[in-house]
Amino acid sequence: MVCEGKTEKIYLDAMKIELKLPTTATIKIEPEAGGHSATIKKAKSLRDKRKSDARKSEVLLAYDVIWCVFDTEKPQHHTGDLEKAVQAANRQG
């Protein structure tokens, strides 16, 4: 999970505890990626690096899924940026 800022990591860490996720569920949280576009770019970079590293490794696996998490208390102020980020994320798969 690639997060825009600090608070998202706090929320997600609390959710992992609250949901009592099994130890087999590995969730890596990458905080403070930056704004919407920067978060998408960071997620793509992490995904591509992990995929490359996994090809060279006998034990490392590529990520199953990458999520980009945005904290938007006032979504109406982020509509254009958020829509562009979603479109960019969709283009990157």
Side-chain angles (χ1 to χ4, degrees), residues 27-81:
I27 299 174
K28 178 181 179 186
I29 300 171
E30 185 76 31
E32 299 185 69
H36 293 70
S37 295
T39 300
I40 300 300
K41 288 177 185 176
K42 178 75 171 183
K44 180 186 181 315
S45 173
L46 290 169
R47 181 199 61 195
D48 293 348
K49 181 173 182 346
R50 181 63 174 242
K51 191 182 291 186
S52 174
D53 292 347
R55 276 188 241 132
K56 300 171 193 171
S57 172
E58 293 182 23
V59 294
L60 192 64
L61 299 173
Y63 293 126
D64 291 328
V65 177
I66 292 186
W67 288 77
C68 294
V69 181
F70 305 103
D71 185 5
T72 55
E73 286 86 9
K74 297 179 182 178
Q76 65 274 19
H77 295 153
H78 301 279
T79 303
D81 291 338

